[in-house]
Amino acid sequence: MNKEYKYPILAKPSGITLDQHRKNVLKEGRVIVDKYPFVLQKYKNRVGKCLKTRLLYAIEFHDDGKEDERWQEACQADYQKFVDWQKNRGGDFSAYTSTNQNNVGQNLRKAGIRHEFQSLVIHKNNKLPTSLQAAIASHHGKLGFRYEDRWKREGVQEFWNVFRRESNRVIDESLSLKQVAQLHYEYAAPRGLLQLADHRASAIEDGDSVPPFTSFNYDFPHPEKRNVQKLVEDNWQDDLLLIRAATGAGKTDASLIWASKQIKGGRADRMVIAMPTRFTSNALAINVAESLSDTGLYHSSAWFNEFQEKVEAGEVSKKEATKEHEFARLLQTPVTVCTIDHLLISLTLTREDHHLIAFNLANSCLVIDEADFYDDFTQANILVLLEFLKYWNVPVLLMSASLPESVLPYYKGIGFNVSEIKEDKSDLQEFDRVRFEIKAIKDCEFPDDIDGILNRCLDMGAAIIYANTVDRAMAFLGWFERNGNGIKTCLYHSRFTEPDKARKEDMLLKMLGKDTWEKKQAHGVAILTQIGEMSINISADIMISDLCPIDRLTQRAGRLCRFDKSKKGELFVLIPKKNETVYPAPYGEYDRKAKSWIATEAFGETRQKIGCEPYSTKKLVSLLNEIYPQSQEFSSKATGNAKTLKEYFKVNWLINSIQLSSKDDTAVSFWKSRDIIAQDTIFVNYPPSRYFNNYLAYQNWKLKNSTDLPIYLIEKGKKNSMVDMVPIIIKDEEEQIYVVKKGFYGFEKGVNFTLEDSIL
């Protein structure tokens, strides 16, 4: 290049040179390859190529297009604007960007040239593998059908055609899902790691800190291993290890022992724990963090649980917290606790960063902690996830207190050599011990229908009530407000803000937690929906539960006499009624034509099989296998949805789709992770100002002041003048948000529209 410029060849309008930026990205790339020898070896074994060489080549070439005269002239002009501003005002580039948002990079935006496209042109004669061309082309997310016209407009259609042919080869050659998964693994490695190195280098150049790369390190903290922990230690080499273990058996440490074996044995280099919901992942992340310091937690509200209080206390800056949260989202932490939904949505490849998430998952070992076996829709999706993990040689541990034998044919069908569910039966006395007795099974439409049982709770002084719907839970609360003689109650469901959920959990532990029981101070009544099935470590000697499928009922009953094996719990099961007919929500589907609920088979079978008798672990397992028989088949709806997930992966494996999902989406146009009623965010307070300076400021306020509700319920709230639509501006974009009017949200009850039953 012969043209003379006023300044050295630049990489950014901030003034950093291309040479320096390239060195910075190479430095981060070398840190990555030095930190992850397992990844390099696995790539070599699977692809037959050296990932280190590929990545460093991609980094060396990725920004060369910035030397193009058109791009460089524009960048130099933008830098000159900054220099002129700096002479008059003083301050660094960060101050300049915050006060001159419209001017920063203005000439580059008008230049009409993508530097990554020109990098391909410059190196056309170098015969780079298509995987490296794809890495260079996509490092700013522009390798997608949304940008097809731009590829044509900038005269680089020949490269676009190469990517189209390679993408279409999957269809043209009728490649299997296994073959496509292998192709994706090969391409996603340099693609995702180049972006990671580039983003880290850019952050450091901007004066920001970046999370360090750390390794999994776990030391068993107890003097002696429990039986379930010995069980995983003895069977850690199984590709898919199925463990049935009761709640409170030491499953968290068992999973960490298992992961430690995988990593030391050269089968993975990080651990991912997938939970059914974000509420359960919150609780597990806290438990895991007691043994491991570098634990990432990712889901839509994880910011509050993990970082918000630290930011407010000044222990960590907002930027640092944001980057740590993002690190966990990418599965880049040694241990990441997330939801199953987060892993599933990454397989749609409807975001550029899904490629790196999927690649990091392929280098992990995965623990699936509990799953809803009554829900064939979710199970069909999990089977797809397991199929990918099989192709990527990812070890999997699936642990549940309620794991039926009927899952075995499904797992065998996708290629796993699994013949049994491992279960701790070494202590036959404990296996046969009566844990609780069902004292009665009664119809119940209103709490007054079971006055006698509720008065029994008052006599006991400490009790747990599980309601299947929020409105039923509120009805029970109302009964205790009228008849409880001042007994302390705590209502806990999903319609609270994150700060109030944290306060509720603390309140529950102080009422019925382990320390309280050990001090003989347990007191009060906990009224819970499904949110409290796995996430709260509380106990009572008496429990009332709405009827639910046996795997959910087993989970709920696991909180009976949880901290004292010498006791036998009392369980009262209610058949929920509405208008004098059985009301199974959420365990079923609503028939709009008939205007009635159709219960899942597991709900009906559980009703038929349970009786007023004692129950041991052995008996619960037997019942579980009766209710979930081997012949059970997935519905066409569940099967079709799971098939669509595979199709998304095949279509989007190389070129990003026109459809773009948001970071926390759990569904896209034709696929969703679970079959639930559509929801939206609603705020419980009015914004302090209509204007938010940036998205982070808005997100910070949102996490403290919002929750999610079914859309139909929000619409009813609007119709009944309980909800306002409020316009706000985030930076320069106007949005409308839902806000609950005063009087319809409080710490005691959460969002309370008192309309009709809803399922969450």
Side-chain angles (χ1 to χ4, degrees):
M1 185 169 178
N2 299 318
K3 184 175 176 66
E4 293 292 329
Y5 297 102
K6 182 176 180 180
Y7 302 104
I9 300 298
L10 299 177
K12 299 178 182 180
S14 63
I16 189 166
T17 66
L18 179 58
D19 183 58
Q20 185 58 54
H21 177 64
R22 187 183 291 118
K23 288 177 180 176
N24 292 342
V25 183
L26 278 168
K27 180 180 179 181
E28 289 302 309
R30 290 192 178 99
V31 170
I32 291 171
V33 296
D34 289 345
K35 193 62 188 176
Y36 296 112
F38 168 83
V39 176
L40 301 187
Q41 187 59 53
K42 183 167 183 174
Y43 192 86
K44 178 70 174 177
N45 293 343
R46 293 184 64 87
V47 180
K49 302 292 182 182
C50 177
L51 177 56
K52 178 179 179 178
T53 301
R54 284 190 161 188
L55 176 59
L56 297 183
Y57 264 121
I59 291 173
E60 184 72 33
F61 300 152
H62 81 290
D63 271 355
D64 285 357
K66 291 179 177 179
E67 296 185 21
D68 184 280
E69 188 174 307
R70 295 165 294 173
W71 195 96
Q72 191 58 216
E73 284 182 346
C75 189
Q76 297 258 336
D78 284 329
Y79 177 56
Q80 185 64 55
K81 281 189 174 184
F82 168 52
V83 171
D84 293 342
W85 175 89
Q86 198 173 41
K87 286 177 182 177
N88 296 324
R89 303 285 185 88
D92 59 13
F93 192 71
S94 177
Y96 174 63
T97 58
S98 64
T99 56
N100 296 269
Q101 294 170 356
N102 293 330
N103 290 331
V104 177
Q106 188 178 59
N107 290 291
L108 276 174
R109 289 195 296 273
K110 293 178 179 178
I113 178 173
R114 292 299 313 179
H115 71 271
E116 61 268 44
F117 297 176
Q118 297 309 310
S119 295
L120 295 178
V121 173
I122 289 171
H123 293 286
K124 178 179 178 180
N125 295 326
N126 286 344
K127 305 296 183 184
L128 293 177
T130 309
S131 60
L132 292 199
Q133 292 186 50
I136 293 168
S138 66
H139 79 272
H140 284 287
K142 298 299 186 290
L143 181 54
F145 285 104
R146 298 172 73 221
Y147 306 100
E148 183 174 6
D149 287 344
R150 182 148 195 179
W151 283 81
K152 296 175 181 177
R153 191 165 64 246
E154 292 194 25
V156 288
Q157 186 167 355
E158 62 177 304
F159 296 98
W160 176 257
N161 292 339
V162 169
F163 297 133
R164 283 294 303 269
R165 283 195 297 272
E166 179 67 358
S167 176
N168 292 340
R169 187 162 65 87
V170 166
I171 307 301
D172 295 341
E173 298 181 13
S174 301
L175 298 187
S176 67
L177 186 63
K178 181 178 181 179
Q179 290 171 310
V180 183
Q182 172 70 359
L183 267 176
H184 180 267
Y185 184 87
E186 176 181 352
Y187 278 64
R191 178 177 190 158
L193 296 179
L194 167 60
Q195 289 172 44
L196 181 64
D198 191 32
H199 291 170
R200 287 173 65 85
S202 294
I204 293 169
E205 290 163 0
D206 291 341
D208 296 338
S209 62
V210 293
F213 293 110
T214 53
S215 301
F216 182 94
N217 186 26
Y218 169 73
D219 293 315
F220 185 69
H222 309 293
E224 187 176 342
K225 290 185 176 71
R226 299 171 71 176
N227 290 328
V228 70
Q229 294 155 6
K230 295 175 183 176
L231 196 61
V232 298
E233 199 169 38
D234 292 341
N235 296 278
W236 70 272
Q237 291 181 310
D238 290 4
D239 292 336
L240 173 61
L241 178 57
L242 304 177
I243 296 287
R244 188 189 291 128
T247 54
K251 291 191 290 181
T252 299
D253 276 308
S255 66
L256 292 170
I257 290 170
W258 175 83
S260 183
K261 287 283 189 181
Q262 303 306 318
I263 292 165
K264 289 179 180 177
R267 288 158 57 97
D269 78 339
R270 70 200 73 182
M271 177 189 191
V272 176
I273 307 176
M275 301 293 289
T277 68
R278 57 195 172 105
F279 311 114
T280 52
S281 64
N282 286 345
L284 186 71
I286 293 169
N287 292 337
V288 171
E290 292 175 359
S291 302
L292 292 164
S293 57
D294 295 314
T295 301
L297 172 64
Y298 186 79
H299 54 66
S300 59
S301 59
W303 172 284
F304 182 84
N305 302 87
E306 188 87 343
F307 300 117
Q308 186 59 44
E309 292 181 2
K310 292 180 181 179
V311 171
E312 292 176 353
E315 297 175 21
V316 62
S317 73
K318 186 179 288 185
K319 281 187 176 181
E320 288 175 322
T322 302
K323 291 182 185 301
E324 287 187 37
H325 193 216
E326 179 67 9
F327 222 43
R329 195 177 74 82
L330 297 173
L331 309 185
Q332 205 67 54
T333 42
V335 179
T336 304
V337 182
C338 63
T339 62
I340 291 172
D341 300 337
H342 180 57
L343 303 182
L344 289 169
I345 191 74
S346 74
L347 297 178
T348 67
L349 302 177
T350 49
R351 288 180 58 85
E352 176 59 43
D353 49 24
H354 283 166
H355 294 275
L356 180 56
I357 294 171
F359 179 71
N360 283 339
L361 177 61
N363 295 304
S364 306
C365 57
L366 175 67
V367 175
I368 299 177
D369 194 337
E370 298 297 344
D372 295 328
F373 294 101
Y374 71 86
D375 182 357
D376 70 336
F377 197 91
T378 300
Q379 288 300 314
N381 274 329
I382 290 175
L383 274 184
V384 175
L385 174 62
L386 289 174
E387 188 172 349
F388 277 103
L389 299 179
K390 172 68 178 174
Y391 298 149
W392 287 327
N393 301 114
V394 174
V396 181
L397 169 61
L398 200 163
M399 306 179 75
S400 175
S402 49
L403 187 59
E405 301 289 336
S406 58
V407 300
L408 292 174
Y410 294 121
Y411 300 157
K412 289 178 182 177
I414 56 176
F416 283 104
N417 181 21
V418 56
S419 58
E420 64 175 336
I421 297 170
K422 302 290 196 304
E423 186 166 20
D424 174 31
K425 296 181 181 178
S426 58
D427 187 345
L428 291 178
Q429 186 176 356
E430 176 62 19
F431 194 62
D432 290 334
R433 176 177 69 85
V434 172
R435 293 173 173 267
F436 64 90
E437 182 176 348
I438 295 181
K439 306 295 281 187
I441 302 173
K442 289 185 172 290
D443 292 343
C444 176
E445 185 161 354
F446 306 104
D448 289 343
D449 297 340
I450 57 162
D451 271 339
I453 301 173
L454 294 172
N455 279 308
R456 171 74 175 147
C457 293
L458 291 177
D459 294 339
M460 296 285 283
I464 296 174
I465 298 175
Y466 279 104
N468 287 351
T469 70
V470 173
D471 287 353
R472 281 180 66 83
M474 286 187 176
F476 283 118
L477 178 67
W479 187 94
F480 283 100
E481 289 175 337
R482 297 189 302 271
N483 307 290
N485 297 322
I487 193 169
K488 191 169 187 177
T489 56
C490 182
L491 173 69
Y492 186 47
H493 53 68
S494 63
R495 295 183 200 164
F496 291 96
T497 63
E498 291 303 317
D500 284 349
K501 284 173 187 168
R503 288 175 60 198
K504 286 283 183 181
E505 292 187 9
D506 184 60
M507 184 176 173
L508 287 165
L509 291 173
K510 287 177 179 176
M511 286 169 53
L512 300 172
K514 187 174 183 180
D515 289 345
T516 304
W517 278 101
E518 288 177 349
K519 294 174 183 176
K520 302 187 186 304
Q521 296 174 349
H523 65 290
V525 179
I527 304 171
L528 315 170
T529 59
Q530 291 88 337
I531 188 176
E533 287 179 353
M534 290 178 278
S535 58
I536 312 294
N537 192 24
I538 58 175
S539 178
D541 296 348
I542 183 172
M543 177 183 292
I544 299 171
S545 174
D546 280 345
L547 179 68
C548 55
I550 187 63
D551 49 323
R552 298 299 91 214
L553 192 63
T554 298
Q555 283 291 342
R556 296 178 183 185
R559 273 144 188 79
L560 275 166
C561 305
R562 189 177 180 91
F563 310 127
D564 189 343
K565 292 182 180 181
S566 67
K567 292 181 178 180
K568 182 174 71 174
E570 297 181 15
L571 176 61
F572 295 85
V573 177
L574 308 180
I575 310 299
K577 292 287 191 76
K578 187 175 183 179
N579 299 325
E580 299 183 353
T581 60
V582 174
Y583 182 58
Y587 306 107
E589 280 192 288
Y590 186 71
D591 187 328
R592 295 186 180 278
K593 289 184 179 179
K595 294 185 178 180
S596 63
W597 278 83
I598 301 171
T600 63
E601 190 173 338
F603 182 93
E605 284 291 305
T606 300
R607 172 64 189 94
Q608 295 298 318
K609 301 287 185 182
I610 61 172
C612 295
E613 53 192 338
Y615 285 85
S616 63
T617 297
K618 181 179 180 180
K619 189 166 185 176
L620 286 170
V621 170
S622 176
L623 199 56
L624 186 74
N625 289 325
E626 284 184 49
I627 291 172
Y628 292 103
Q630 300 273 349
S631 59
Q632 190 178 26
E633 293 184 2
F634 292 153
S635 66
S636 58
K637 185 179 182 181
T639 303
N641 183 72
K643 182 181 178 183
T644 300
L645 180 56
K646 296 181 183 181
E647 290 170 352
Y648 263 105
F649 188 90
K650 279 190 170 186
V651 170
N652 298 336
W653 79 272
L654 178 57
I655 301 177
N656 292 335
S657 64
I658 291 177
Q659 182 179 12
L660 175 66
S661 58
S662 297
K663 281 186 177 182
D664 296 314
D665 282 350
T666 58
V668 284
S669 293
F670 303 103
W671 172 87
K672 50 187 178 180
S673 61
R674 55 189 68 231
D675 192 21
I676 60 174
I677 295 171
Q679 302 202 352
D680 206 342
T681 298
I682 191 166
F683 292 83
V684 303
N685 290 306
Y686 289 86
S689 167
R690 280 195 62 216
Y691 181 75
F692 291 89
N693 289 328
N694 53 59
Y695 183 76
L696 274 179
Y698 165 71
Q699 192 72 3
N700 181 35
W701 179 74
K702 175 184 175 181
L703 287 169
K704 288 184 176 181
N705 294 279
S706 71
T707 187
D708 292 338
L709 284 186
I711 290 174
Y712 82 87
L713 197 58
I714 294 175
E715 291 300 319
K716 286 184 178 290
K718 286 169 59 182
K719 183 179 178 181
N720 288 275
S721 300
M722 301 171 180
V723 174
D724 275 341
M725 292 292 292
V726 177
I728 62 169
I729 298 172
I730 305 170
K731 193 176 178 181
D732 54 4
E733 293 185 11
E734 187 166 330
E735 289 191 17
Q736 296 271 342
I737 61 172
Y738 300 110
V739 181
V740 178
K741 288 187 176 181
K742 189 174 181 180
F744 298 103
Y745 179 85
F747 175 72
E748 186 178 10
K749 295 182 180 179
V751 177
N752 181 18
F753 292 161
T754 60
L755 293 172
E756 64 177 57
D757 285 26
S758 63
I759 67 173
L760 295 174

